[in-house]
């Protein structure tokens, strides 16, 4: 191992291991230590560094200023865009430069690895959760929790990345996950909580995978134009993706984002060619928060790096919030979705007025939803809704309630029945809280009851204990 300057300008990091058996390291990346596997003592003041992680015998890295190039293990890191996103852990060549005007990153590898992305809903326990594949490449996993809107699954309300060894443990041989704390099936608003796991597995024959992104900053860094290109080799057939993206800071409060991309594949299980585009204009000030957006993604587009719920759909909408004084605000939303293959569509309009203070929150509004299909009658739900929460007894008790009231004789949309929800949090002690939530939904196509009971406690600093019971009944008996 050697590290030092060369030619007076570059920093070189080099390592060579003549006895390294690549076959023995075929399923390991990045050189990270698994503390539970090899070490019985940890938690001291030691510091771990992996400056020469490589499955090959050789590792090289050359750096100068904001540029570097390496041969070894790396993460592709193409995460700036949505449609051209490509996040994988590989072994090969990578180069990256972050300049004032021109920036680029590129990579290339000859590998037999396959990328896999799994999504599963939490079941209220720590596990075990079984992934779809076994024999996972060690240290290639990326796991996160996503809370998605119960009625708009393409909207991610919260995204929380998790750390290997501290937040979860993984069995690479069996393909199982175990979390340090239970993963609820739903949050306090009954929005579903999903586990998203991305990882690599050993595939068939080796093939070349390469790609990159280049971007140019213009107009005093207010405009950034980028282009991405990715070639993914696979035994079943190669897939190519090309994309363009634009980011424009129109003012301190207004920003525009736009992307367009197209993919083509020789894989018989993928679409021969598919396209996608998106555009979003956002204006955020202390008083006004507004967003105008449009997005379309054809079925079969991409390299399995996008959300599955976006496939084969076109969406457009306008939503905003206006603050009227210290305690009052108004919200509105207009949303349209169309399924490209079937022509089925949904149009939704919502308006709400809210009052929020330190201990009391109250909102009232109207909602109209229309589901149309070429082969079925139009389904309409027109509702008024009211909801809020109040904190009592020096904030030891929080009461929550909401009611969606049908203003027509039948709430026909399956996602928008008449709905009643009540909940309570009781802070028994500063470190222990009991909670309970109950929801009843009744409409033309749905009749269900959902109950959630549990306790959260922190027995001592740095520890957390949570236990809950969830029960759901639907009209078909499930």
């Amino acid at each position: 191992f050697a590290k030092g300057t060369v030619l007076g300008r570059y920093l070189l990091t080099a390592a060579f291991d003549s006895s390294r058996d690549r076959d023995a390291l075929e399923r390991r990346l990045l050189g990270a230590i698994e503390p539970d596997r090899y070490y019985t003592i940890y938690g001291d003041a030691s510091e771990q560094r992996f400056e020469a992680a490589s499955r090959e015998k050789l590792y090289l890295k050359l750096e100068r200023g904001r540029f570097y190039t390496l041969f070894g293990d790396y993460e592709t890191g193409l995460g700036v865009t949505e449609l051209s996103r490509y996040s994988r852990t590989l072994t090969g060549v990578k180069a990256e430069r972050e300049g004032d005007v021109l920036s680029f990153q590129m990579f290339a590898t000859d590998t037999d690895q396959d990328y896999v992305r799994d999504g599963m809903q939490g079941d209220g326990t720590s596990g075990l959760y079984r992934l779809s594949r076994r024999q996972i490449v060690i240290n290639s996993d990326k796991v996160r929790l996503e809370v998605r809107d119960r009625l708009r699954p393409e909207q991610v309300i919260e995204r929380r990345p998790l750390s290997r060894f501290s937040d979860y443990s993984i069995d690479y041989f069996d393909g199982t996950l175990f979390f340090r704390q239970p993963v609820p099936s739903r949050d306090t608003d009954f929005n579903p909580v999903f586990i998203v796991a991305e990882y690599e597995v050993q595939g068939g024959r080796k093939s070349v995978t390469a790609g990159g992104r280049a971007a140019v900053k213009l107009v005093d860094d207010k405009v950034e134009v980028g282009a991405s290109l990715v070639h993914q080799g696979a035994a079943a057939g190669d897939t190519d993706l090309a994309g363009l993206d634009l980011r424009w800071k129109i003012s301190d409060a207004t920003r525009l984002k736009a992307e367009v991309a197209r993919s083509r594949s020789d894989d018989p299980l993928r679409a021969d060619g598919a396209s996608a585009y998106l555009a979003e204009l956002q204006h955020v000030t202390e008083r006004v928060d507004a967003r105008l957006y449009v997005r379309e993604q054809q079925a079969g587009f991409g390299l399995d790096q996008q959300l599955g719920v976006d496939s084969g759909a076109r969406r457009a909408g306008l939503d905003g919030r206006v603050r009227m004084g210290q305690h009052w605000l108004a919200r509105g939303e207009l949303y349209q979705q169309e399924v490209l293959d079937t022509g089925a569509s949904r149009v939704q309009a919502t308006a709400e007025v809210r009052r929020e203070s330190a201990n009391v929150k109250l909102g009232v509004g109207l909602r109209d939803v229309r589901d149309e299909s070429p082969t079925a009658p139009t389904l309409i739900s027109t509702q008024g809704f009211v909801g809020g929460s109040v904190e009592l007894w020096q904030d030891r008790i929080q009461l929550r309630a909401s009611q969606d009231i049908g203003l027509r004789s039948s709430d026909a949309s399956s996602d928008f029945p008449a709905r009643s929800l009540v909940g309570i949090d009781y802070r028994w002690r500063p470190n222990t809280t009991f909670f309970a939530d109950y929801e009843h939904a009744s409409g033309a196509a749905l009749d269900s009851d959902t109950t959630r009971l549990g306790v959260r406690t922190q027995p001592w600093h740095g520890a957390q204990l949570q236990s809950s019971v969830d029960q759901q009944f639907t009209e078909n008996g499930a």
Side-chain angles (χ1 to χ4, degrees):
F1 174 87
K3 185 170 185 175
T5 56
V6 293
L7 302 178
R9 297 182 298 173
Y10 297 95
L11 177 64
L12 173 67
T13 304
F16 182 76
D17 186 351
S18 61
S19 64
R20 174 162 296 185
D21 184 359
R22 193 188 190 285
D23 293 336
L25 298 174
E26 191 68 28
R27 293 180 52 250
R28 180 181 296 275
L29 287 165
L30 302 177
I33 291 174
E34 300 174 69
D36 296 335
R37 184 181 296 256
Y38 296 110
Y39 298 91
T40 57
I41 298 176
Y42 51 90
D44 56 9
S46 63
E47 180 180 351
Q48 298 178 11
R49 294 186 180 182
F50 306 101
E51 291 192 279
S54 178
R55 290 199 297 179
E56 302 289 347
K57 294 183 178 182
L58 177 68
Y59 176 89
L60 286 174
K61 185 176 184 181
L62 198 64
E63 304 172 72
R64 184 189 179 189
R66 291 183 288 179
F67 165 81
Y68 74 86
T69 181
L70 66 81
F71 175 82
D73 295 348
Y74 59 84
E75 294 186 0
T76 55
L78 298 184
V80 176
T81 61
E82 292 185 44
L83 300 180
S84 303
R85 176 184 184 270
Y86 198 71
S87 177
R88 294 186 62 183
T89 307
L90 302 166
T91 301
V93 179
K94 181 182 179 182
E96 185 170 352
R97 180 183 186 272
E98 182 66 36
D100 294 331
V101 177
L102 175 64
S103 301
F104 67 83
Q105 54 189 132
M106 56 186 66
F107 67 91
T109 182
D110 186 15
T111 182
D112 60 354
Q113 291 177 195
D114 289 335
Y115 167 84
V116 183
R117 174 186 176 127
D118 289 339
M120 65 196 84
Q121 190 171 353
D123 60 11
T125 70
S126 297
L128 291 172
Y129 294 93
R130 295 197 173 274
L131 302 175
S132 63
R133 301 285 294 273
R134 301 173 62 186
Q135 303 288 349
I136 297 170
V137 176
I138 297 173
N139 301 324
S140 69
D141 50 298
K142 304 181 187 72
V143 180
R144 63 182 180 272
L145 298 183
E146 290 184 353
V147 181
R148 300 178 188 167
D149 191 291
R150 60 189 300 181
L151 304 176
R152 301 267 302 277
E154 76 279 1
Q155 285 193 349
V156 179
I157 300 173
E158 180 185 358
R159 181 180 284 114
R160 182 162 65 93
L162 303 180
S163 298
R164 186 190 308 124
F165 306 134
S166 58
D167 293 327
Y168 70 93
S169 59
I170 179 171
D171 188 318
Y172 294 105
F173 181 79
D174 286 334
T176 57
L177 291 172
F178 188 85
F179 294 88
R180 292 292 187 258
Q181 64 183 33
V183 180
S185 61
R186 297 180 180 271
D187 67 358
T188 54
D189 297 321
F190 292 105
N191 294 306
V193 180
F194 286 90
I195 302 164
V196 180
E198 299 175 289
Y199 54 92
E200 304 280 334
V201 296
Q202 294 301 134
R205 63 175 178 84
K206 282 190 174 184
S207 55
V208 174
T209 294
R213 177 180 181 267
V216 178
K217 296 179 181 178
L218 308 169
V219 196
D220 297 327
D221 294 345
K222 293 182 178 180
V223 177
E224 179 178 306
V225 180
S228 302
L229 182 64
V230 178
H231 169 83
Q232 178 175 278
D238 298 344
T239 304
D240 297 309
L241 184 145
L244 297 173
D245 61 274
L246 167 69
R247 279 161 176 75
W248 180 13
K249 184 180 179 182
I250 301 174
S251 67
D252 291 339
T254 307
R255 298 172 184 265
L256 173 66
K257 178 178 73 172
E259 297 181 27
V260 59
R262 180 168 179 81
S263 64
R264 56 162 299 278
S265 179
D266 298 329
D267 188 340
L269 299 179
R270 295 178 180 268
D272 292 339
S275 303
Y277 66 85
L278 65 85
E280 180 179 303
L281 180 65
Q282 191 169 24
H283 179 78
V284 180
T285 64
E286 186 176 347
R287 184 170 178 268
V288 179
D289 184 349
R291 183 173 68 114
L292 176 66
Y293 62 91
V294 60
R295 180 184 188 121
E296 178 181 315
Q297 182 175 315
Q298 294 178 353
F301 166 80
L303 300 166
D304 301 326
Q305 302 260 338
Q306 289 74 32
L307 284 175
V309 294
D310 287 328
S311 180
R314 180 189 299 119
R315 298 182 177 90
L318 171 65
D319 54 63
R321 181 191 66 183
V322 179
R323 183 166 291 279
M324 303 174 294
Q326 182 178 359
H327 299 295
W328 292 90
L329 62 89
R331 293 176 177 174
E333 179 184 26
L334 182 62
Y335 167 77
Q336 192 270 343
Q337 171 183 297
E338 180 181 355
V339 180
L340 300 177
D341 291 340
T342 64
S345 64
R346 167 176 289 178
V347 178
Q348 175 183 337
T350 306
E352 180 186 13
V353 176
R354 293 184 61 84
R355 189 183 190 280
E356 298 181 350
S357 61
N359 296 323
V360 179
K361 297 179 181 179
L362 179 66
V364 61
L366 295 172
R367 178 190 299 118
D368 185 79
V369 182
R370 297 172 181 266
D371 294 338
E372 298 182 353
S373 174
T375 59
T378 301
L379 306 177
I380 301 175
S381 288
T382 303
Q383 300 177 327
F385 58 90
V386 60
S389 64
V390 59
E391 309 230 350
L392 305 172
W393 201 6
Q394 298 180 342
D395 297 341
R396 295 188 67 178
I397 294 179
Q398 184 191 68
L399 302 177
R400 302 180 298 275
S402 65
Q403 176 69 56
D404 295 355
I405 306 168
L407 303 181
R408 292 175 177 266
S409 59
S410 175
D411 296 298
S413 177
S414 60
D415 291 332
F416 294 92
R419 200 186 304 268
S420 304
L421 185 148
V422 293
I424 181 173
D425 283 0
Y426 172 55
R427 189 159 61 92
W428 180 46
R429 292 181 178 177
N431 59 353
T432 303
T433 299
F434 295 91
F435 59 89
D437 296 280
Y438 170 74
E439 181 190 77
H440 173 71
S442 178
L446 177 69
D447 189 8
S448 71
D449 295 271
T450 306
T451 306
R452 182 170 177 263
L453 305 169
V455 59
R456 293 184 297 267
T457 184
Q458 187 178 30
W460 59 84
H461 181 71
Q464 184 180 20
L465 175 66
Q466 176 171 318
S467 179
S468 64
V469 177
D470 298 83
Q471 186 176 56
Q472 179 171 341
F473 289 100
T474 58
E475 57 186 347
N476 62 1

